[in-house]
Amino acid sequence: MTDIIQIPATLLPRDGRFGSGPSKVRDAQLQALMASQPGVLGTSHRQAPVKDLVGDVRAQLAQLFAIPEGFEVILGNGGSTMFWDAASFSLVRDRAQHCAFGEFGAKFAKATDAAPHLGASSIRTAAPGSVVLPEPEDGMDVYAWPHNETSTGAIAPVRRPAGIGDAITVVDATSAAGGTRVDIAQTDVYYFAPQKSFASDGGLWFAVLSPAGIARIEEIAASGRWMPESLSLKVALDNSRANQTLNTPAVATLVLMRAQLAWMLEGGGMDFVAQRSALSSGHLYDWATRTSWATPFVSDAAYRSPVVATIDLDDAVDSGELRRHLRANGVVDIDPYRKLGRNQIRVGVYPAVDPEDVEALIACIDHVAGRLLA
Ligand SMILES: *Cc1c(COP(=O)(O)O)cnc(C)c1O
């Protein structure tokens, strides 16, 4: 199209992918996929090569999160959305308290609240762009909240509330895990998927379980509650211990994830990834703070996500128009969460994204916005 604003090549990022999920996959991961051949893809997931792959990923995650004695890493098919349903069967005894301050937290709350075998959920809400934290409440056996609310770019502290007895904490870390620090001992179930900070594809879920999380899974399985086999975390736990999944996993996704985890650990592990994402998001928040027509959406700086930066734009710079020009120049996926309906950009700055490319993205946005405002 002729009306496209051409961005000078010198301003463009080396890689123009800034999606919040699926997110940028590094070329080295694809090379690792080729290098794994012909031993892995197209072979049985019940044989050593794929079992070893699953074992590697579990061990790498254990190392990245520095899991204490007695904690375990499990996995299964279906992504984080399916994990919510599995949690409704295998983690909640009767009632869950949820913190909902965006789409993802609200979706998990809806899943447990609607489950006919569970009591009503207690749902604490806050407006998008802020956060609400769990509070001890009678009758709750699960406390659930998102570590990073990907739809709004708000990050919440991960701290076990005091005085919750034998209730467990179940934290949605889909976009936080692998991009920001966590004290894993505060969680009983810290679950995520590979397509955000781990720069792989979707379709699997992973969970770090504490001894109390494991005990809850065992307790509910022993209670005789009916549940679909594919949603049983007891089945997933038993299979994971054998480096297996109930049914066939996406093997290429695991290879890509192993390569990304190796890169993270070689770079220095959690310190490396957390600093890299914080540097990238810091560039965006600093820019939005000094730019007259841009403002960080999350007003309290303490809750600004280090991995997903949301920036409101003045009406004079239309987000859709800005993104149309950027996309035509190969700079993609900074769309706001669709249901939020704001004149906003949302930038995924997981560790795979180069902080220098974020600086280039800012230069590109300034270039296009300068033309739109002229
Ligand atoms: C992306 C995301 C999900 C959904 O993950 P799927 O694997 O697509 O089901 C859930 N929660 C959060 C916080 C997310 O960012």
Side-chain angles (χ1 to χ4, degrees):
M1 280 207 285
T2 51
D3 73 326
I4 291 297
I5 299 169
Q6 286 295 324
I7 301 174
T10 51
L11 295 185
L12 290 171
R14 271 164 300 183
D15 195 301
R17 290 173 291 177
F18 297 98
S20 296
S23 61
K24 178 186 166 187
V25 179
R26 292 177 315 111
D27 289 349
Q29 295 171 262
L30 294 170
Q31 280 150 18
L33 191 58
M34 289 303 289
S36 74
Q37 287 301 90
V40 176
L41 293 193
T43 72
S44 168
H45 61 297
R46 304 295 179 205
Q47 296 298 325
V50 176
K51 285 206 247 181
D52 291 347
L53 168 62
V54 171
D56 286 347
V57 171
R58 292 178 64 224
Q60 289 168 311
L61 288 169
Q63 192 184 338
L64 183 69
F65 292 112
I67 64 171
E69 187 67 30
F71 280 58
E72 292 186 51
V73 179
I74 69 169
L75 74 161
N77 284 314
S80 291
T81 299
M82 185 122 139
F83 191 84
W84 294 329
D85 295 325
S88 302
F89 281 108
S90 286
L91 294 176
V92 185
R93 246 184 224 141
D94 181 35
R95 294 188 67 196
Q97 181 191 91
H98 293 264
C99 295
F101 41 90
E103 278 296 311
F104 292 110
K107 280 182 178 166
F108 185 21
K110 201 172 159 197
T112 61
D113 197 40
H117 61 283
L118 300 178
S121 299
S122 167
I123 305 173
R124 295 164 58 74
T125 59
S130 63
V131 313
V132 61
L133 300 178
E135 284 279 346
E137 185 180 349
D138 284 347
M140 300 300 145
D141 54 79
V142 159
Y143 289 82
W145 70 100
H147 187 180
N148 188 71
E149 180 45 81
T150 321
S151 67
T152 64
I155 190 159
V158 175
R159 268 192 306 272
R160 185 186 304 279
I164 59 169
D166 78 341
I168 58 172
T169 57
V170 178
V171 176
D172 181 350
T174 308
S175 56
T180 193
R181 289 183 183 80
V182 64
D183 175 3
I184 203 78
Q186 301 293 318
T187 70
D188 295 306
V189 182
Y190 190 72
Y191 64 94
F192 47 91
Q195 73 275 20
K196 312 249 164 123
S197 275
F198 296 105
S200 185
D201 261 335
L204 292 168
W205 58 257
F206 289 83
V208 180
L209 304 177
S210 75
I214 295 166
R216 177 65 64 84
I217 289 169
E218 302 276 9
E219 171 204 311
I220 293 180
S223 75
R225 170 189 286 173
W226 177 84
M227 63 182 80
E229 191 182 26
S230 61
L231 295 178
S232 164
L233 293 182
K234 169 70 174 148
V235 169
L237 175 64
D238 292 346
N239 274 290
S240 297
R241 283 173 170 165
N243 292 328
Q244 294 273 276
T245 45
L246 170 66
N247 58 320
T248 319
V251 179
T253 300
L254 288 163
V255 180
L256 295 175
M257 184 163 176
R258 178 173 63 184
Q260 184 66 354
L261 278 160
W263 175 79
M264 289 174 162
L265 293 169
E266 275 159 25
M270 197 55 94
D271 287 341
F272 166 60
V273 293
Q275 280 168 19
R276 200 167 148 92
S277 285
L279 181 62
S280 290
S281 50
H283 286 328
L284 286 157
Y285 296 129
D286 289 349
W287 161 77
T289 303
R290 68 172 185 261
T291 299
S292 61
W293 43 267
T295 317
F297 172 51
V298 177
S299 51
D300 185 337
Y303 297 138
R304 280 179 199 156
S305 169
V307 284
V308 176
T310 45
I311 310 291
D312 274 345
L313 305 179
D314 271 8
D315 289 346
V317 180
D318 181 71
S319 164
E321 192 59 7
L322 171 69
R323 287 181 281 112
R324 186 171 73 87
H325 291 288
L326 289 172
R327 177 166 284 278
N329 285 272
V331 178
V332 302
D333 292 345
I334 61 168
D335 306 41
Y337 194 75
R338 54 195 188 285
K339 286 190 210 150
L340 206 56
R342 296 183 75 89
N343 189 42
Q344 183 176 90
I345 58 170
R346 181 177 59 141
V347 186
V349 285
Y350 302 118
V353 171
D354 189 332
E356 286 183 9
D357 277 350
V358 176
E359 292 182 290
L361 167 69
I362 290 168
C364 292
I365 294 173
D366 278 341
H367 179 84
V368 172
R371 300 293 191 84
L372 295 177
L373 287 164

